Amino acid sequence: MRLLSRYGGLRRNAAVGGADSEWYSPPPSNSNKLGFRHIVTSCRAVVLPRFGGPEVLELRDDASVPDLKPSEVLVRARAVSVNPLDTRMRSGYGRSLFEPLLPIILGRDVSGEVAAIGASVRSLSVGQEVFGALHPTAVRGTYTDYAILSEDELTSKPVSISHVEASAIPFAALTAWRALKSTARISEGQSVLVVGGGGAVGFAAVQLAVAAGCHVSTTCGSESIDRLLAAGAEQAIDYTTQDIELAIKRQFDAVLDTIGVPETERVGINLLKRGGHYMTLQGETASLTDRYGLAIGLPTATAILLKKQIQYRYSHGIEYWWTFMRADAEGLDQIRRLCEVGKLKIPVDKTFPITQVREAHEAKDKRHIPGKVVLEVD
């Protein structure tokens, strides 16, 4: 694969390309406005040409790579994780937004090396190992040899973990971070309930809350109890055999509901202290816009959220939120620090080469693999 630069002076970077004979070219010192113009002409990518099952995914060798904007970074991907959002998008979730943009590239998480940087990027350098995640609405995802992310969507990869391990972390951890730290603003000594602690977001939330000095309870399946207790949860309740409301004897400052069905919403809200925060990952914006279109669905979702916020504020004295992942440079840096000292990790159950992306999606669809799945891109 050959990388092209408008500035010339091609140079091989063994750390980035190695035996693959990949190349990069640094911009001259006077290129402070333009950054790179077309560093890579094309590369492999998993493309979604239409919605459907795993069989619709296509691994193409000629996916185009856009020019880098000044704040963007080109990452030579080494591992990308498969998130529930990926399989849902493939099946048509977010259709109202993504259908006019097809074909798109799936994927949110990435771990790899910096292949090139835009002109205004200051915190990262070529050859540096990095990990990070794209926003949920990005249309050029990370299932590709070369992913493009903004500078604030990336940080240094912890040296103590592999690319496979690193790729499983950012999207889930940033989702949990936004809910607990940006929205609820949890602090030492507070109590936190994570509904669905067995999933990636739930497990990340438990670890983040424990690291913040909170008293953490969680619900999960029986297979996850030991892992969650080992991560620092004070109570892990098997929702399949126990009544959550009877098993829990306290009220909470914050509840993160990763399941988001009416019953978990009811229980979570009833277990909150006055002034507490209830946050669910299952907001209705995407489903309503898919059903009614953006013109009707978006204002309808806004009205429903506002109604619930007012209702619960007056009936229970609590704050109600739909939460989702958003880029947060400070949050990602804190996540990196926690990973480095072993306080945040998300286990990977199985890896697939990116050439077997259909098999990976099928395994997740059929729930053959309950935990994290990662695609290796080498």
Side-chain angles (χ1 to χ4, degrees):
M1 185 177 295
R2 190 170 176 80
L3 309 186
L4 305 178
S5 167
R6 67 176 297 166
Y7 304 116
L10 286 166
R11 181 152 59 97
R12 183 166 181 175
N13 179 3
V16 176
D20 295 334
S21 296
E22 292 148 4
W23 302 79
Y24 76 95
S25 175
S29 59
N30 64 354
S31 63
N32 59 347
K33 292 184 179 180
L34 294 175
F36 283 100
R37 182 184 181 276
H38 237 53
I39 299 166
V40 105
T41 54
S42 64
C43 67
R44 292 184 308 167
V46 176
V47 172
L48 180 71
R50 64 188 184 281
F51 300 118
E55 71 280 356
V56 304
L57 297 173
E58 298 179 3
L59 182 63
R60 297 182 182 176
D61 292 326
D62 58 351
S64 62
V65 181
D67 296 346
L68 284 185
K69 297 175 182 176
S71 63
E72 289 182 333
V73 178
L74 186 72
V75 177
R76 172 58 170 102
R78 298 300 178 184
V80 299
S81 77
V82 177
N83 285 293
L85 179 63
D86 302 337
T87 57
R88 294 176 70 189
M89 283 176 59
R90 188 209 69 226
S91 300
Y93 179 77
R95 179 185 301 269
S96 58
L97 174 63
F98 296 113
E99 191 163 37
L101 303 173
L102 292 175
I104 62 173
I105 299 173
L106 296 177
R108 293 295 169 263
D109 292 306
V110 66
S111 183
E113 299 102 19
V114 175
I117 57 175
S120 67
V121 174
R122 295 291 179 266
S123 64
L124 302 171
S125 58
V126 172
Q128 183 176 353
E129 291 191 330
V130 293
F131 75 139
L134 289 163
H135 188 273
T137 59
V139 296
R140 190 184 191 280
T142 58
Y143 286 13
T144 176
D145 288 327
Y146 286 91
I148 295 176
L149 295 87
S150 297
E151 181 180 15
D152 64 358
E153 294 174 327
L154 290 164
T155 193
S156 297
K157 181 185 78 67
V159 296
S160 59
I161 61 177
S162 68
H163 285 300
V164 166
E165 292 168 318
S167 72
I169 294 169
F171 191 81
L174 282 168
T175 303
W177 178 275
R178 187 182 182 203
L180 297 179
K181 301 293 285 187
S182 302
T183 301
R185 298 184 181 276
I186 60 170
S187 58
E188 185 175 359
Q190 290 189 317
S191 55
V192 175
L193 172 63
V194 178
V195 180
V201 175
F203 190 50
V206 168
Q207 293 172 90
L208 290 174
V210 169
C214 296
H215 304 285
V216 183
S217 298
T218 185
T219 68
C220 59
S222 59
E223 70 282 355
S224 300
I225 288 177
D226 290 343
R227 185 177 67 183
L228 287 160
L229 293 174
E234 296 176 6
Q235 187 178 26
I237 301 158
D238 182 355
Y239 72 93
T240 65
T241 61
Q242 294 179 271
D243 185 305
I244 298 171
E245 290 179 284
L246 293 178
I248 294 177
K249 306 300 183 183
R250 69 193 312 169
Q251 288 191 305
F252 298 90
D253 297 288
V255 173
L256 174 57
D257 184 356
T258 71
I259 308 301
V261 296
E263 178 63 11
T264 58
E265 180 173 308
R266 182 192 67 79
V267 170
I269 286 171
N270 286 339
L271 289 172
L272 273 174
K273 299 175 183 177
R274 293 189 70 84
H277 293 262
Y278 171 86
M279 299 149 293
T280 176
L281 301 185
Q282 308 302 329
E284 298 179 51
T285 303
S287 60
L288 287 169
T289 53
D290 287 347
R291 187 182 307 169
Y292 301 115
L294 286 170
I296 297 175
L298 191 57
T300 301
T302 303
I304 290 173
L305 175 58
L306 183 59
K307 180 181 178 181
K308 285 193 169 188
Q309 288 177 325
I310 294 171
Q311 171 192 336
Y312 288 127
R313 194 171 294 154
Y314 280 96
S315 64
H316 291 72
I318 61 101
E319 301 298 323
Y320 177 96
W321 307 96
W322 293 344
T323 190
F324 55 90
M325 180 270 188
R326 180 174 289 176
D328 184 326
E330 179 185 354
L332 187 58
D333 185 62
Q334 290 299 316
I335 288 165
R336 174 186 63 80
R337 292 172 186 270
L338 290 172
C339 292
E340 286 178 338
V341 296
K343 293 185 176 181
L344 177 59
K345 58 183 71 175
I346 296 177
V348 175
D349 278 8
K350 187 172 178 60
T351 63
F352 292 83
I354 197 169
T355 53
Q356 294 179 13
V357 63
R358 290 180 178 178
E359 290 86 341
H361 270 237
E362 183 176 8
K364 292 304 294 181
D365 282 356
K366 294 182 177 179
R367 302 191 177 186
H368 291 165
I369 305 169
K372 263 288 186 179
V373 167
V374 168
L375 303 174
E376 296 188 88
V377 190
D378 288 342

